[in-house]
Amino acid sequence: PATGRALRECDHVLDFINHEGHAVTAGGALVHAARDGSVVLCRGLAPDVVRHLAEVLASHAHLAQLLQDHTRAGVDYVIVGEQRFAPATEWWFETLPLTYRRVPTFAHHDEQGHTVRVGTVADGSMLAPIVDRLRNELGDLIAVQSWSALTAEAATGSPTHILEAFGRNVNKWTAIAALCAQYGIAPAETVAIGDGLNDLEMVRDAGLGIAMGNADARIEAGADVRVGHHDAGGFADAADLVLAANKR
């Protein structure tokens, strides 16, 4: 499994499928051993970059949500700012067993290098210019994007977006490639199935990239094949494709 969620945002899913291997989490910033939750790979943000990101978000009157490596930080998030949570954020923290610490400004936070992602949640039209500003100011230091957030009302297509900033080459595919190198697996032997914008590199660069029927158009453009919608057996169709290819 490769997900944009942190471990404690998805471990109930890993338990449900009895997963005992690795789990790529936080969009590729972390790789965990699913059995005990230990961190196998961590690719965080430099403290000065975290500060810059938090201060830019504050200047636009947005909270900065600093996702932590909770195995070292002891909490899942540090929330910078005194604004109210966006409804989607409030729902997220009410729904999942997460811990967070709030600080009024970044000056009240002692950044120890545990931050793996900086983000915020707001209407998509408000976040697009911030993405452009961050790309201009931080150049090759980060990878940043804004895309539709999961909310209580909508799984896809919500006008509420999440802005996410990672280290420059941090994504799901580079985490998978690191595991391939560890196990001696050629990248051409991999299959990736995805639908969201944070699946782009994974679907594009895997040996076989499969886009779900509900995938973002940019994912479909980089995929080798498209299957059905995730609510209509699309993942089973993808599994059938992989099994058939193995038989051949």
Side-chain angles (χ1 to χ4, degrees), residues 22 27 31 54 64 84 99 108 124 138 153 196 204 214 234:
H22 289 103
V31 178
R84 293 186 61 180
T99 58
H108 293 83
L138 292 173
E153 297 77 27
R204 182 191 66 206
N214 52 289

Side-chain angles (χ1 to χ4, degrees), residues 29-54:
L30 292 165
V31 178
H32 291 271
R35 182 185 293 272
D36 61 9
S38 60
V39 174
V40 176
L41 175 67
C42 177
R43 298 182 294 171
L45 287 156
D48 59 329
V49 173
V50 176
R51 173 184 290 277
H52 192 132
L53 291 164

